Amino acid sequence: MNDPYKILNVPSTASDEEVKKAYRELARKYHPDNYHDSPLEDLAQEKMKEINEAYDTIMRMRGSGRGASSNPSGAYGRSASGYGGYGSYGAQTDPRFREIRAAITRGDLHMADHLLSILLEHNGEWYFLKGVICQRRGWLDEARRNYETACQLAPGNMEYAQALERLSSSAQSYRPEGYEVFTSGCGDNMCGRLACAYCLCNAVTCGGVRFFWC
Amino acid sequence: MFGYVQPAPDKLTAEEEQRYRALYCGLCHTLARRYGAVCRMVLNYDFTFLAALLSGTIGTENRRCIAGPFKKRPVACENPALDLAADVSILFTYWKLRDGAEDSRGVRCLGFQAAGAAMGRAYRRAAGLHPALDAAARRELERLSELEKAGCPSLDEPADTFAALLSSVAGEVEEPVRRRVLEHLLYHLGRWIYLVDALDDLKKDVESGNYNPISLRFSLKDGILTGQARDVVVSTLDASIRQMAAAYELWDFGVWSPIIRSTVYQGLYCVGNAVLEGTFRAAESRRGLRGKKEQV
């Protein structure tokens, strides 16, 4: 295994508190919620496993018996367990949709979309799965519309509500400290300072490019 | 590409900012070396960001430049990533001009045609080097023009054309994990650029009757985006930026990390906000003037 300190990006002289802090930051970064329905989910899962192992190794090496048994943050849990395919919902699922969920989990979006298209009855589950397929493809606006319809048709369903929440709220996702701007606006008018900063080789570029594009 | 992709200046140290400048100048020199001085014109921030994504470790050397001939500045050295970024710049700009010539009339159309013709040789060379990219550009622009003709009222479908095109650049990268990360990052970068550009042109397109997916998606009569429609556009732009940031975290971009980080966690949001508020173009022209004064 690689150097666990390097994985957590702390010096080997770091205090327990510093190690914990570094671990938490990384766990927030690679949290399953940030990669749900992303085609890169498996890569994030590997990262999460790596940092969990590094943290456990360090704690074990320091011999204080605070390894796997005492995770520093209940909130993030052994977060890797949060990763999972759609098969895991199989038990509560209408059998017709089970095959579609399996296809999505395999990454076979074409097949999943085809199977959906031949179903005539469009219920909440149908719209939810359509939304998942859209989201995997990066069609985020259509994904949101489908999730919204799913939630309207099946108001109490937590799975659909969570999918919609994850897609529409930017507040919960990871940001490094000090980055707080959104497209809708920003705290202390940092946006005002935007464009003036880079006056690179203006003579050639701004004139030239604007000439072409304006 | 349109110059929307910029890092956030206040998040970069002096050294990082200088590295960004060196990359920008390096791309400019590479364009001139490979395609002739006129092709420096296609240089913009979006392609510079692309170069940062594609580059590994790059050294710099001090060189003079036609924009500032009296002082030597650090410039990124020749390397395959800059070559690729330059080739992509030429290909995309050429196809964009072709597309512009088809969409416009009169003097504007002539302007596009003349610019396209001037780039003909450069384009043929770049297309010969990357036939797959050239085919993708042709295919996706055809798909886009079909959607435009049909008046497609979706945001995702037309955006998917440019997103898929930009994503195909990742196909030129060897390392499989890096390729996957870049495919996803570039897809959402392309989607974001397409939608921000549509937002930027909203009023103009509604007045001239040109195709605009945002106007069609929300049936806007006057080209003014308000209330719920505005929230939906903002939320979908934010969601694409989050996808880029999440992809960025899965690969070590080395010395270019600060530039990419400040772009995907702040720069894009700032530009999106400026476009939304209608202050982006104003800042651009102000900057153009200031740049010219500095030259004098």
Side-chain angles (χ1 to χ4, degrees):
Chain A
M1 190 178 147
N2 293 329
D3 178 4
Y5 289 101
K6 216 173 149 192
I7 291 170
L8 295 189
N9 200 17
V10 288
S12 55
T13 51
S15 70
D16 285 5
E17 222 21 71
E18 283 162 341
V19 172
K20 242 180 235 181
K21 203 175 153 222
Y23 169 78
R24 275 191 188 150
E25 175 78 2
L26 288 169
R28 226 157 59 78
K29 195 185 275 186
Y30 298 111
H31 193 279
D33 278 358
N34 296 332
Y35 293 92
H36 209 89
D37 294 320
S38 158
L40 303 177
E41 200 175 356
D42 58 315
L43 296 178
Q45 199 171 356
E46 270 169 41
K47 282 266 186 198
M48 197 73 197
K49 203 172 145 227
E50 202 179 65
I51 57 172
N52 278 338
E53 278 170 9
Y55 179 76
D56 282 348
T57 310
I58 292 175
M59 286 307 159
R60 214 176 305 122
M61 280 189 317
R62 295 190 172 190
S64 41
R66 289 161 300 180
S69 58
S70 72
N71 188 344
S73 86
Y76 306 119
R78 291 277 102 167
S79 303
S81 65
Y83 286 101
Y86 292 88
S88 51
Y89 300 106
Q92 320 147 14
T93 299
D94 185 325
R96 286 173 302 167
F97 292 113
R98 223 170 268 164
E99 204 183 340
I100 300 173
R101 283 179 184 259
I104 295 174
T105 308
R106 276 201 312 277
D108 190 351
L109 298 182
H110 193 74
M111 173 58 87
D113 206 21
H114 172 71
L115 290 173
L116 264 190
S117 70
I118 53 178
L119 286 180
L120 294 174
E121 187 203 335
H122 293 187
N123 58 7
E125 175 103 10
W126 190 93
Y127 282 103
F128 168 70
L129 291 176
K130 186 80 184 165
V132 172
I133 295 171
C134 287
Q135 189 169 357
R136 290 255 166 149
R137 287 190 167 139
W139 290 35
L140 305 178
D141 184 45
E142 310 271 325
R144 187 185 145 122
R145 286 161 102 170
N146 281 297
Y147 289 154
E148 276 169 358
T149 312
C151 290
Q152 277 161 17
L153 292 175
N157 189 304
M158 283 309 287
E159 191 185 13
Y160 309 164
Q162 277 170 1
L164 180 61
E165 170 70 13
R166 265 195 301 270
L167 187 61
S168 16
S169 89
S170 37
Q172 290 173 2
S173 63
Y174 171 79
R175 286 276 190 103
E177 220 170 293
Y179 288 86
E180 278 131 17
V181 187
F182 294 98
T183 306
S184 52
C186 40
D188 55 355
N189 199 26
M190 278 181 285
C191 298
R193 293 170 54 198
L194 166 69
C196 357
Y198 297 108
C199 304
L200 302 173
C201 310
N202 283 291
V204 191
T205 55
C206 279
V209 173
R210 295 328 300 182
F211 168 74
F212 278 127
W213 296 125
C214 280
Chain B
M1 314 261 263
F2 322 87
Y4 293 118
V5 184
Q6 304 175 12
D10 55 327
K11 298 291 178 196
L12 296 182
T13 64
E15 189 197 347
E16 288 158 4
E17 199 173 318
Q18 196 182 45
R19 190 174 293 128
Y20 180 67
R21 282 166 190 270
L23 186 68
Y24 187 85
C25 295
L27 184 57
C28 185
H29 280 281
T30 307
L31 279 164
R33 177 170 53 79
R34 281 169 88 81
Y35 296 105
V38 176
C39 290
R40 284 177 196 268
M41 290 256 192
V42 310
L43 180 67
N44 70 23
Y45 300 123
D46 301 355
F47 294 128
T48 309
F49 184 68
L50 187 66
L53 288 175
L54 296 170
S55 298
T57 317
I58 294 187
T60 57
E61 55 188 342
N62 286 318
R63 290 180 65 174
R64 289 182 214 282
C65 161
I66 61 163
F70 305 115
K71 203 176 140 201
K72 284 193 174 182
R73 314 161 182 238
V75 173
C77 302
E78 284 178 26
N79 76 83
L82 277 179
D83 288 352
L84 177 57
D87 298 347
V88 171
S89 310
I90 294 287
L91 276 177
F92 283 16
T93 308
Y94 175 81
W95 281 108
K96 178 73 199 158
L97 290 170
R98 280 280 300 264
D99 190 45
E102 273 175 28
D103 289 350
S104 55
R105 287 173 291 274
V107 180
R108 268 177 68 81
C109 177
L110 284 178
F112 279 123
Q113 278 176 344
M119 284 184 64
R121 248 178 82 183
Y123 160 72
R124 282 191 293 277
R125 177 157 183 232
L129 290 168
H130 306 281
L133 269 181
D134 181 48
R138 193 185 299 257
R139 188 177 61 234
E140 296 303 341
L141 278 172
E142 258 168 35
R143 193 154 69 93
L144 179 60
S145 118
E146 301 271 304
L147 291 169
E148 286 178 357
K149 266 184 220 139
C152 175
S154 153
L155 296 182
D156 294 318
E157 212 171 337
D160 182 65
T161 61
F162 190 61
L165 173 55
L166 201 51
S167 176
S168 66
V169 175
E172 309 279 322
V173 171
E174 294 287 324
E175 213 285 324
V177 172
R178 180 170 199 199
R179 188 169 58 224
R180 281 185 59 198
V181 167
L182 281 178
E183 259 169 16
H184 193 63
L185 204 162
L186 289 173
Y187 181 91
H188 283 281
L189 183 67
R191 182 179 187 271
W192 181 85
I193 291 176
Y194 181 86
L195 291 176
V196 159
D197 190 49
L199 186 61
D200 206 9
D201 288 342
L202 185 57
K203 258 198 198 132
K204 214 174 69 189
D205 286 343
V206 168
E207 277 164 20
S208 66
N210 276 353
Y211 174 77
N212 188 297
I214 296 178
S215 138
L216 289 168
R217 159 82 165 84
F218 302 105
S219 315
L220 303 175
K221 299 261 165 348
D222 47 5
I224 296 166
L225 192 64
T226 48
Q228 212 195 347
R230 188 181 157 110
D231 294 345
V232 169
V233 171
V234 163
S235 133
T236 212
L237 287 174
D238 280 356
S240 259
I241 302 175
R242 286 203 302 277
Q243 292 291 322
M244 284 183 244
Y248 155 77
E249 296 292 357
L250 294 171
W251 184 259
D252 181 5
F253 288 92
V255 294
W256 306 106
S257 297
I259 290 164
I260 302 169
R261 188 189 309 125
S262 85
T263 306
V264 297
Y265 283 114
Q266 183 155 322
L268 296 179
Y269 290 107
C270 287
V271 170
N273 179 259
V275 168
L276 191 70
E277 302 290 341
T279 55
F280 183 72
R281 294 277 180 204
E284 279 281 287
S285 50
R286 210 169 46 236
R287 182 175 54 185
L289 279 178
R290 221 178 79 173
K292 272 171 205 130
K293 265 185 217 150
E294 277 175 4
Q295 289 305 314
V296 178

